[in-house]
Amino acid sequence: MTRVDKLILLAVLGLALGSFAVAGLRRGAEVSPAQAQVVVEVDGRVVDKFPLADLKPGERRQVRGPLGYSVIIGGDNKVRMESSPCPDKVCVARGWISLPGEAIVCMPNHIVVHIVGPASEKSYDAVTQ
Amino acid sequence: MEGQTRRLLYLSLLVAGGTALHVFEGFLPALSALPGAKLGLANLASLLALALFGPVEMWWVVILRVFFGSLLGGTLLTTTFFLSLAGAVGSTLVMLTAARLGRGALSLVGVSVLGAVAHNLSQLLMAAFLVRHPGIFFYLPYLLLFALPTGYFIGVTASFVLRAFPPGVKQAQWKKHPARGVVPRAWNM
């Protein structure tokens, strides 16, 4: 291993820690979780959108993806993927999300569940299609 | 003529070995809940192709390996395949650039770590494109951190494997293409 190799190792470590810091800051900067909305997307299309507070603890909603039905379940102002027909269950392992900006992504079933704040809706300058 | 046959033989072995590692890694249980976090065993074949032969041969080994590996693993043309392909192409581009720019100063370990990082980045980009949502970048910090030990491990392993190659193979290659491939320094790491 050469000196440049070691520098690269350090740089990657720095990059990783830096991105942790950025992720933490972004989360802290987001707004009032009380008015958060849950957005459910399949293949990039919004199929469901409701206030997080409306999803009572234990309440389930089914989302239909190409592999079948994934089930999300509500908690105390939070939501998680309870079950999914995907092979890897990465989405289930993601656990609870509750803050605007957080997302559960199920790649195999093409489902994204994410949370937006009331303000972040208007924070786009423009949308191109 | 003999050199051509030998070159073909070694390249075929690298494609076969890479394919086997690709399939084998698909059988391993997920290391963690991190999507795309894996050892990158198949990158061993790519690194050896780069060190022994050069950029063109590396592309052949990488592309053929992803194709055959996905075919045997039953993931051809599925989401998994496109994620593999994105990771392989992205990491190969970065590894080749690093090997060229860092010739003489960089060993296979550095190349491998950069390749691991590039692999995870391009896979995340592809994933974000496939689900059309940037929420997947939540995993970026974890994947960057994960690329460090795996890239290091694969790079060190490749250096050791390289040392076991008969000296004739390496020297013949280096006489023929002194400007290609990575760093003679990788031999005596």
Side-chain angles (χ1 to χ4, degrees), chain B residues 93-171:
Chain B
L93 277 175
V94 168
M95 284 192 284
L96 284 176
T97 312
R100 170 145 294 220
L101 294 181
R103 195 184 305 136
L106 206 62
S107 83
L108 278 184
V109 178
V111 175
S112 172
V113 169
L114 287 174
V117 171
H119 181 274
N120 288 347
L121 268 178
S122 36
Q123 227 171 32
L124 267 185
L125 280 173
M126 179 55 111
F129 169 75
L130 286 176
V131 297
R132 292 189 172 67
H133 194 275
I136 195 107
F137 279 100
F138 161 78
Y139 293 107
L140 180 64
Y142 301 95
L143 285 174
L144 282 178
L145 203 60
F146 200 80
L148 210 58
T150 57
Y152 176 81
F153 166 75
I154 297 297
V156 170
T157 311
S159 306
F160 275 115
V161 176
L162 214 51
R163 262 197 259 172
F165 267 84
V169 181
K170 296 185 290 206
Q171 276 154 21

Side-chain angles (χ1 to χ4, degrees), chain A residues 1-5 8-9 12-13 15-17 19-20 23 27 41 43-44 90 93-94 103 105-107 110 112 114, chain B residues 33 35 79 83 105-107 109-110 113-114 117 127 130-131 133 135-136 138-139 141-142 144-145 148 152 185 189:
Chain A
M1 194 154 85
T2 65
R3 214 173 58 232
V4 181
D5 284 343
I8 286 176
L9 284 174
V12 172
L13 185 65
L15 203 63
L17 296 179
S19 57
F20 270 113
R27 194 164 309 165
E41 292 179 21
D43 273 323
V90 163
R94 174 73 168 85
V105 178
C106 182
M107 282 292 302
H110 299 199
V112 178
H114 65 115
Chain B
T79 311
L83 289 175
L106 206 62
S107 83
V109 178
V113 169
L114 287 174
V117 171
L130 286 176
V131 297
H133 194 275
I136 195 107
F138 161 78
Y139 293 107
Y142 301 95
L144 282 178
L145 203 60
L148 210 58
Y152 176 81
R185 208 190 266 206
M189 197 205 82

Side-chain angles (χ1 to χ4, degrees), chain B residues 1-12 53 173 176:
Chain B
M1 201 60 207
E2 195 204 332
Q4 267 304 331
T5 314
R6 180 184 282 182
R7 176 173 168 275
L8 209 58
L9 171 70
Y10 275 108
L11 277 177
S12 316
F53 297 102
Q173 287 308 320
K176 228 159 70 188

Side-chain angles (χ1 to χ4, degrees), chain A residues 62-79:
Chain A
Q62 290 190 324
V63 186
R64 189 181 176 176
L67 294 182
Y69 288 98
S70 297
V71 181
I72 55 175
I73 183 167
D76 185 20
N77 259 320
K78 54 189 182 178
V79 61

Side-chain angles (χ1 to χ4, degrees), chain A residues 96-109:
Chain A
W96 295 104
I97 60 170
S98 59
L99 299 172
E102 291 187 316
I104 301 170
V105 178
C106 182
M107 282 292 302
N109 212 12

